[in-house]
Amino acid sequence: MDLSVFRPVILFPYPSAVIVLLNMFVFFAVHFLLFAYLFFRLVLPLRSSRIAKSALAVLLFVISQHYLIRMAFDSMATPGVPSALIAVEGWASLTLLFMVLLTALRDIFLVLRRLFAKRRSAAGGASRAFSPERRLLLMAGAGAVPAAFAVGKAVAVPAVRPVEARFADLPAGLDGFRIIQITDLHASDLLRRDWVRSVVDAVNAQEPDLVLFTGDTADGSVAQRTEDVAPLAGLRARFGVFGCTGNHEYYGGFSPWMAAFERLGMTMLLNGHALFSVNGADLVVGGVTDEVAGGFGLPMPDAVAAFHGAPVDAFRIMLDHRPGGAAKNAAAGAQLQLSGHTHGGHILGMDQLVARANNGFVRGWYVVNGMRLYVSSGAGLWNGFPARLGVPSELPLVVLRRG
């Protein structure tokens, strides 16, 4: 059983055995509370037999704790089951979450109505408009439809999204320079080889000058994902393919993945940079490691080291998986930062919670101490939460412009 997925910061940053177990407990306890809420509000009031209510309760419990079932197969990140089953699992889990949300909204409405109703009897009568059985079916149906739509959007091949980045001091030789950013690809048991090949085809069709990866390229070990990431070797760009690490590169085995990326033709920038001469102008692309590296005994992100030795008058781009380090990167001289990690927040509304966990950044353009920051919604996503509503996946085509 692989517990490495609990090494991300849920409560603490470092992966000691005690902290991993504590993270697991909190994670599953939260999901148990969601189940318990639906059980008491929707299942227990049913007028069905005890056997029927027990069966429904078991079903809801299994859905709420489906991550435990994943770990029984292999791990939460790579459950080792068919992609169709992962999609169904994601749909069921998301349906449950929507049911919790809808039920909570209904309960809040009823409480407020009782508080403000002139006559308590009028409010009470309205609450009996639906039988417990009809209410359960209504909540399940209202949750299942958007959940299915969200899963469909999650597994769709991302579209290329042109975005302009204008700089008054951009060297003339870089005007019109075209960069494709690929972030949070998350090649996995859900997003397999054919999907990755479609992404590669979409990128190559743009004939970019540079292809830049900003982390979380695959979920699982190199042995598990070799076939799925193989199409990445077909990426073509005038000045090559470069990247930085995300947190998932560490969970899947850092050293084997660095070797695999080299075989795929990708140059990884680990607190280092690459220098290009473009039409007489110097362009520096730096990259930093991910902050979980310290928990694995590996170098932490260092923006100063990334640009060490770079020409002072060069235009500087920083690749940083997480947008939260923007201020440090700006202080190190970066003029443009490309990031991911947030998946754009997955769902409108939930994106504000994601922003709070990432220093206020979630997707799109920001300006940080004079540096421009673009946070991509990502090409893919972790298969443990395959959902997008109002936040489509993307392949940003960043065009540098002078002015």
Side-chain angles (χ1 to χ4, degrees), residues 246-268:
N247 47 310
H248 282 246
E249 273 75 32
Y250 295 87
Y251 308 146
F254 176 80
S255 295
W257 270 117
M258 295 308 102
F261 291 145
E262 183 177 355
R263 292 193 297 270
L264 292 169
M266 185 191 308
T267 300
M268 298 300 291

Side-chain angles (χ1 to χ4, degrees), residues 353-395:
L353 296 176
V354 175
R356 287 178 176 272
N358 290 275
N359 287 356
F361 308 119
V362 63
R363 65 178 178 275
W365 284 112
Y366 301 88
V367 177
V368 181
N369 299 336
M371 179 193 75
R372 299 204 68 184
L373 162 66
Y374 188 78
V375 184
S376 171
S377 296
L381 35 62
W382 175 51
N383 61 78
F385 190 69
R388 287 189 180 275
L389 275 179
V391 185
S393 56
E394 64 175 9
L395 292 167

Side-chain angles (χ1 to χ4, degrees), residues 31-80:
H31 285 79
F32 177 80
L33 290 176
L34 297 180
F35 154 75
Y37 177 64
L38 288 184
F39 174 76
F40 283 106
R41 297 300 296 130
L42 295 182
V43 177
L44 204 57
L46 294 175
R47 295 169 294 190
S48 306
S49 65
R50 287 188 177 181
I51 295 177
K53 288 197 285 189
S54 298
L56 182 56
V58 169
L59 175 62
L60 290 177
F61 178 78
V62 169
I63 294 173
S64 71
Q65 300 293 327
H66 70 283
Y67 294 110
L68 277 176
I69 300 172
R70 277 175 168 243
M71 292 173 66
F73 280 97
D74 185 2
S75 74
M76 283 178 63
T78 55

Side-chain angles (χ1 to χ4, degrees), residues 182-184 212-218 242-251 253-255 257-259 261 266-272 286-294 298-302 319-323 338-341:
I182 305 176
T183 193
D184 299 280
L212 301 178
F213 280 80
T214 48
D216 284 7
T217 301
F242 296 79
C244 70
T245 54
N247 47 310
H248 282 246
E249 273 75 32
Y250 295 87
Y251 308 146
F254 176 80
S255 295
W257 270 117
M258 295 308 102
F261 291 145
M266 185 191 308
T267 300
M268 298 300 291
L269 303 173
L270 308 176
N271 294 332
V288 292
T289 58
D290 189 81
E291 63 184 40
V292 302
L298 294 167
M300 293 286 282
D302 188 335
L319 308 182
D320 189 344
H321 178 62
R322 301 175 192 249
L338 301 179
S339 296
H341 186 62

Side-chain angles (χ1 to χ4, degrees), residues 17-218:
V18 173
I19 290 173
V20 169
L21 291 174
L22 182 58
N23 285 340
M24 288 177 61
F25 173 78
V26 172
F27 189 83
F28 292 114
V30 169
H31 285 79
F32 177 80
L33 290 176
L34 297 180
F35 154 75
Y37 177 64
L38 288 184
F39 174 76
F40 283 106
R41 297 300 296 130
L42 295 182
V43 177
L44 204 57
L46 294 175
R47 295 169 294 190
S48 306
S49 65
R50 287 188 177 181
I51 295 177
K53 288 197 285 189
S54 298
L56 182 56
V58 169
L59 175 62
L60 290 177
F61 178 78
V62 169
I63 294 173
S64 71
Q65 300 293 327
H66 70 283
Y67 294 110
L68 277 176
I69 300 172
R70 277 175 168 243
M71 292 173 66
F73 280 97
D74 185 2
S75 74
M76 283 178 63
T78 55
V81 297
S83 57
L85 184 56
I86 296 176
V88 171
E89 172 195 285
W91 166 78
S93 177
L94 194 58
T95 297
L96 185 143
L97 291 177
F98 281 137
M99 289 175 66
V100 169
L101 176 61
L102 292 170
T103 303
L105 290 175
R106 175 183 177 273
D107 286 346
I108 292 171
F109 170 77
L110 291 178
V111 169
L112 293 176
R113 188 167 186 171
R114 288 192 178 97
L115 287 175
F116 293 102
K118 291 182 179 180
R119 290 183 300 176
R120 200 176 281 268
S121 59
S127 67
R128 293 192 295 269
F130 291 105
S131 68
E133 288 74 19
R134 290 183 64 187
R135 184 162 58 246
L136 173 62
L137 290 175
L138 179 63
M139 294 298 180
V145 173
F149 182 80
V151 172
K153 288 295 184 182
V155 300
V157 175
V160 174
R161 183 188 178 202
V163 290
E164 283 194 349
R166 290 190 173 270
F167 301 88
D169 57 350
L170 183 75
L174 292 176
D175 190 25
F177 194 82
R178 294 156 54 85
I179 300 167
I180 289 278
Q181 179 194 7
I182 305 176
T183 193
D184 299 280
L185 194 70
H186 287 285
S188 66
D189 293 308
L190 178 65
L191 304 174
R192 305 300 299 262
R193 181 188 180 102
D194 290 344
W195 183 88
V196 175
R197 183 184 292 111
S198 296
V199 171
V200 171
D201 291 343
V203 170
N204 288 343
Q206 300 299 316
E207 300 181 351
D209 294 307
L210 265 179
V211 172
L212 301 178
F213 280 80
T214 48
D216 284 7
T217 301

